[in-house]
Amino acid sequence: FNALFLCVSLIRLKDLEVAKLGDSDVHIKMLAAPINPADINMIQGTYPILSPLPAVGGNEGVGEVLEVGRRVTALKPGDWVIPADTGLGTWRTRGVFPEETLLKVPSDIPVLCAATLSVNPCTAFRMLADFESLAPGDSIIQNAANSGVGQAVIQIARASGIKTVNVVRDRPDLPKLVERLMALGADHVITEEMLRKPEMKDIFKSIPRPRLALNCVGGKSTTEMLRHLQPKGTMVTYGGMAKQPVMVPVSAFIFRDVRLRGFWMTQWRKDHAQDQESLAGMMDALCQLIRRGQLTAPACTEVPLQDYRAALEASMKPFVSSKQILLL
């Protein structure tokens, strides 16, 4: 089978033998797998989880079950599966994995939705659910709103009646991006520069100030976003694209009692490993949204596995609004 093999300074496509099927194993044919920022970080060696080398890249994707070992009861040939955790190595055409490393998903949802289900929509869902009790009419603010998580936040919030203020970096094709995010259900789309302007007050004439801020950037963007948070509001940091620390004025802590929290989907999965109900409930809710057309895959560019170099390069360019998906 073909696998993207990762070495410290080298990524290459290799043909390998498929491992023998054990009693508790599942043989799957991968259908599609995205390239996420965390995948790049793992290759660079800067992610908290690093696979022993040599390793196959990719933490997310969807595959179809071809064959199961004799002790496997929850899966059968034809089922669709996604990784249950980080580090599976999804950039491959085929693989044999222990049953517990896979999660069954419905095969009646679009393949790109299934391939991008386990990281970004789950992250968006948990951050909207776990930090503030949001009710219809409440609002949230987020930066990197055009990211995969950002697009999922807009749609999940919209389906729950929650308003979103979405911050993006200024760019040459800004009007096109604003139009795309508004079509997903964004209430307001603004640039980082706008965060500092008095006109921000106009936005909060029609919607309440946000109780929740979602930060994927860090640096100045975060400090400015924090100014618009309600007293006792929460800011959740789940990424640091600017590679700069989160700076908080002392006054925000003392006089507005804001809370700063962090979120990492991998840790949530570890913490809830014994709590299958929470996981099943979340996956079910997300799949229902997908079936109703209220949650779509992020903007994607589909790339055949052979063109993986071009896909990796494209995913590392600035102002990328399209996720590279390897078709396997």
Side-chain angles (χ1 to χ4, degrees):
F1 71 99
N2 289 326
L4 264 184
F5 241 64
L6 307 177
C7 296
V8 178
S9 60
L10 184 69
I11 300 173
R12 59 201 163 116
L13 201 55
K14 280 195 80 168
D15 285 330
L16 300 171
E17 289 287 318
V18 176
K20 194 167 165 290
L21 187 76
D23 288 350
S24 303
D25 289 341
V26 181
H27 180 189
I28 67 171
K29 170 183 182 281
M30 288 302 298
L31 302 173
I35 298 174
N36 289 320
D39 302 327
I40 303 292
N41 295 153
M42 281 177 90
I43 295 165
Q44 292 165 334
T46 59
Y47 202 65
I49 292 174
L50 301 174
S51 301
L53 297 173
V56 180
N59 291 298
E60 189 179 32
V62 62
E64 183 183 337
V65 175
L66 296 177
E67 196 184 352
V68 299
R70 63 189 179 89
R71 288 210 190 118
V72 174
T73 53
L75 295 170
K76 62 184 189 305
D79 284 346
W80 279 13
V81 290
I82 63 174
D85 211 343
T86 312
L88 195 68
T90 54
W91 298 346
R92 65 173 91 213
T93 52
R94 301 242 174 141
V96 170
F97 305 104
E99 180 185 15
E100 69 269 13
T101 63
L102 302 167
L103 208 56
K104 184 178 169 181
V105 292
S107 53
D108 65 347
I109 61 174
V111 71
L112 292 183
C113 287
T116 55
L117 182 61
S118 66
V119 178
N120 294 335
C122 290
T123 299
F125 185 93
R126 294 265 56 102
M127 291 195 301
L128 287 170
D130 294 352
F131 294 93
E132 287 283 344
S133 302
L134 297 170
D138 283 343
S139 79
I140 66 133
I141 188 167
Q142 64 165 345
N143 55 24
N146 59 310
S147 67
V149 171
Q151 292 174 61
V153 163
I154 290 168
Q155 294 173 87
I156 297 167
R158 177 63 178 264
S160 309
I162 295 159
K163 310 289 184 190
T164 58
V165 180
N166 301 279
V167 186
V168 296
R169 286 184 296 174
D170 199 4
R171 64 195 64 214
D173 61 345
L174 184 65
K176 201 195 284 183
L177 176 60
V178 171
E179 192 182 322
R180 194 154 63 75
L181 296 182
M182 295 298 272
L184 288 180
D187 294 284
H188 298 276
V189 183
I190 59 170
T191 62
E192 296 200 337
E193 290 69 31
M194 172 86 175
L195 274 175
R196 298 175 198 114
K197 297 198 170 152
E199 294 92 293
M200 279 298 288
K201 288 196 185 82
D202 297 338
I203 288 178
F204 301 120
K205 284 175 185 164
S206 58
I207 63 171
R209 283 190 176 271
R211 291 173 49 193
L212 180 67
L214 305 177
N215 167 46
C216 182
V217 179
K220 199 177 279 184
S221 160
T222 313
T223 312
E224 296 297 338
M225 197 165 65
L226 200 62
R227 292 185 202 287
H228 304 293
L229 207 54
Q230 270 190 36
K232 295 190 188 302
T234 305
M235 185 171 77
V236 181
T237 293
Y238 68 98
M241 284 158 55
K243 295 185 170 61
Q244 290 166 355
V246 170
M247 309 287 274
V248 182
V250 170
S251 59
F253 280 128
I254 299 173
F255 304 120
R256 292 181 30 244
D257 192 16
V258 297
R259 276 172 290 207
L260 265 60
R261 301 286 304 274
F263 183 77
W264 187 28
M265 193 64 220
T266 302
Q267 189 62 48
W268 186 92
R269 287 185 195 282
K270 276 187 194 147
D271 294 346
H272 293 78
Q274 306 309 315
D275 180 9
Q276 286 308 302
E277 273 180 40
S278 285
L279 182 61
M282 170 172 68
M283 297 316 267
D284 189 46
L286 290 170
C287 289
Q288 295 280 20
L289 289 173
I290 291 167
R291 285 197 194 95
R292 291 202 293 261
Q294 292 176 303
L295 178 61
T296 57
C300 290
T301 304
E302 299 171 53
V303 183
L305 182 60
Q306 298 84 291
D307 300 337
Y308 70 92
R309 283 188 192 281
L312 282 163
E313 282 167 20
S315 70
M316 294 169 79
K317 284 185 181 146
F319 302 119
V320 175
S321 287
S322 182
K323 192 176 282 291
Q324 303 291 308
I325 306 268
L326 298 170
L327 297 181
L328 307 157

